[in-house]
Amino acid sequence: MTHEEILAQFGPREAMEYDVVVVGGGPGGLSTAIRLKQLAAEKGKDVSVVVLEKGGEPGAHILSGAVMDPIALTELFPNWKELGAPLNQPVTGDDVLFLSETSARRTPNVFVPDCFHNEGNYVISLGLVTKWLGEQAEALGVEIFPGFTAAEVLYNEDGSVKGVATGNMGIGKDGEPTDSFQLGMELHARYTVFAEGARGHLGKQLIARYKLDAGRDPQSYAIGVKELWEVPAAQAQPGRVVHTAGWPMDNSTYGGGFLYHAEGNRVTLGFVTGLDYQNPWLSPFEEMQRWKTHPAIRKHIEGGKRIGYGARAITAGGLLSLPKTVFPGGALVGCDAGYLNASRIKGSHA
């Protein structure tokens, strides 16, 4: 059955009304919800805010280790340390390495660009930080709907965004409703904020519909393949940050590696490959596995155990590719908008 046929047979959908609907429970979406509640409280108003998070509880599906600049968190919660935010491991040292197949050349600190310096930053688990943000949001009265995917943008007659509809549940492989079928619901709002992450499927539709990228450079994307390791205590270097360029990438392929020593004898590492690569035989996953065998990387994880792995898309175009982020009835935030600061290799603070 088509979507229209399902609605004709099982509709209308139940609708819920809010002041603001936020699509996506990552750092961008949760920070949006928190700030809205803070601003409302300052003005003595009650604003209803709901967050849809498709991946279950906030942070549950986020593997990323990251180096985080706490500047925005300090704006959001000046007392974040007292509130128990999981920023526990300050960066203690930076290595920027240029790799050949067998050797590594470290860039002297004096020649490392300012944007690569990490003094005052923290090595974090982005999953734990997101979980903490979810707890702060709920404490402020934000409703969080875990396990709900926004499947469709709804529009008012004047063309502005009216809200979103969640996906239908209980559809069989043949596209037909099963015995467990449940119709999605509509969430209407004065404003809808889209924080789906890189190349969000609704964000793409909105950029095209409202021509938000008119006059901007084309967006570019990369993929980051990442792993989490537990290493022997004697091998741990809490706070050590390593970035690499060069091997195994060739001169016509954009990419590089990162390795962060976190608290608890854990090392998070990964390899980023620009998705404009021209070699049809290149495999970003295999390049990451090759990179791990380099002596400068192997020494950090040898004798350890991999305890997690994953991958994610990266919106890497930067400022000149940033679309207009507001439109009638809503806005784009986070990686849906493209807020990654590629030159700093950071984005969670934006």
Side-chain angles (χ1 to χ4, degrees):
M1 296 177 68
T2 66
H3 178 59
E4 290 73 20
E5 289 172 338
I6 289 175
L7 283 180
Q9 179 173 338
F10 295 98
R13 292 180 290 212
E14 178 186 355
M16 301 175 70
E17 302 286 337
Y18 290 91
D19 290 313
V20 180
V21 170
V22 180
V23 180
L30 290 170
S31 298
T32 298
I34 288 168
R35 190 65 186 131
L36 286 168
K37 279 292 192 179
Q38 290 175 335
L39 290 170
E42 290 172 9
K43 297 181 182 297
K45 295 184 177 180
D46 183 29
V47 174
S48 58
V49 182
V50 64
V51 175
L52 298 181
E53 172 45 53
K54 66 182 180 182
E57 296 297 330
H61 68 292
I62 298 178
L63 172 68
S64 290
V67 174
M68 186 175 190
D69 182 343
I71 182 171
L73 188 61
T74 301
E75 292 180 8
L76 199 61
F77 292 110
N79 61 334
W80 57 263
K81 289 186 180 180
E82 290 77 9
L83 291 172
L87 280 70
N88 303 316
Q89 180 54 65
V91 173
T92 57
D94 275 302
D95 291 326
V96 179
L97 307 179
F98 284 84
L99 306 182
S100 69
E101 190 167 352
T102 57
S103 65
R105 186 171 74 252
R106 184 181 185 277
T107 305
N109 289 344
V110 67
F111 295 123
V112 174
D114 288 345
C115 59
F116 273 34
H117 284 267
N118 284 299
E119 292 87 354
N121 297 331
Y122 292 81
V123 178
I124 63 162
S125 161
L126 194 59
L128 291 180
V129 171
T130 303
K131 181 176 183 291
W132 180 84
L133 285 171
E135 293 167 353
Q136 306 312 305
E138 289 186 314
L140 291 169
V142 175
E143 291 185 53
I144 298 177
F145 290 177
F148 283 83
T149 302
E152 178 187 356
V153 182
L154 306 174
Y155 297 96
N156 293 305
E157 290 184 3
D158 63 1
S160 62
V161 171
K162 182 179 183 178
V164 294
T166 63
N168 301 324
M169 303 176 72
I171 300 292
K173 292 181 180 179
D174 57 0
E176 298 295 319
T178 66
D179 292 340
S180 61
F181 175 78
Q182 184 176 340
L183 192 65
M185 62 180 177
E186 297 187 0
L187 293 99
H188 301 166
R190 295 173 62 190
Y191 296 98
T192 307
V193 179
F194 294 83
E196 304 166 282
R199 202 158 168 76
H201 75 118
L202 300 182
K204 287 190 297 182
Q205 297 173 27
L206 293 162
I207 290 171
R209 181 184 181 96
Y210 295 110
K211 297 180 173 57
L212 302 178
D213 57 352
R216 310 299 167 93
D217 284 353
Q219 188 57 266
S220 64
Y221 299 91
I223 186 169
V225 182
K226 54 198 176 181
E227 296 181 355
L228 179 63
W229 283 64
E230 190 172 69
V231 300
Q235 219 166 300
Q237 303 177 54
R240 172 63 57 182
V241 170
V242 180
H243 288 106
T244 77
W247 188 88
M249 292 286 97
D250 57 38
N251 291 334
S252 61
T253 306
Y254 163 75
F258 63 89
L259 184 149
Y260 311 142
H261 281 263
E263 57 186 321
N265 303 333
R266 295 192 169 189
V267 175
T268 180
L269 69 160
F271 199 82
V272 174
T273 304
L275 291 179
D276 57 351
Y277 61 83
Q278 298 182 23
N279 175 5
W281 304 108
L282 186 147
S283 162
F285 173 78
E286 296 294 344
E287 293 302 284
M288 196 266 192
Q289 300 311 312
R290 282 210 296 160
W291 172 77
K292 280 164 50 184
T293 68
H294 194 282
I297 304 303
R298 180 198 294 264
K299 69 180 183 181
H300 289 276
I301 58 175
E302 199 157 31
K305 179 175 67 173
R306 184 175 63 183
I307 57 176
Y309 54 89
R312 65 157 291 177
I314 298 168
T315 309
L319 186 61
L320 296 179
S321 299
L322 194 69
K324 183 180 179 182
T325 55
V326 295
F327 47 85
L332 304 172
V333 302
C335 288
D336 226 354
Y339 285 161
L340 173 74
N341 187 335
S343 64
R344 293 193 69 196
I345 322 178
K346 289 179 183 60
S348 55
H349 66 286

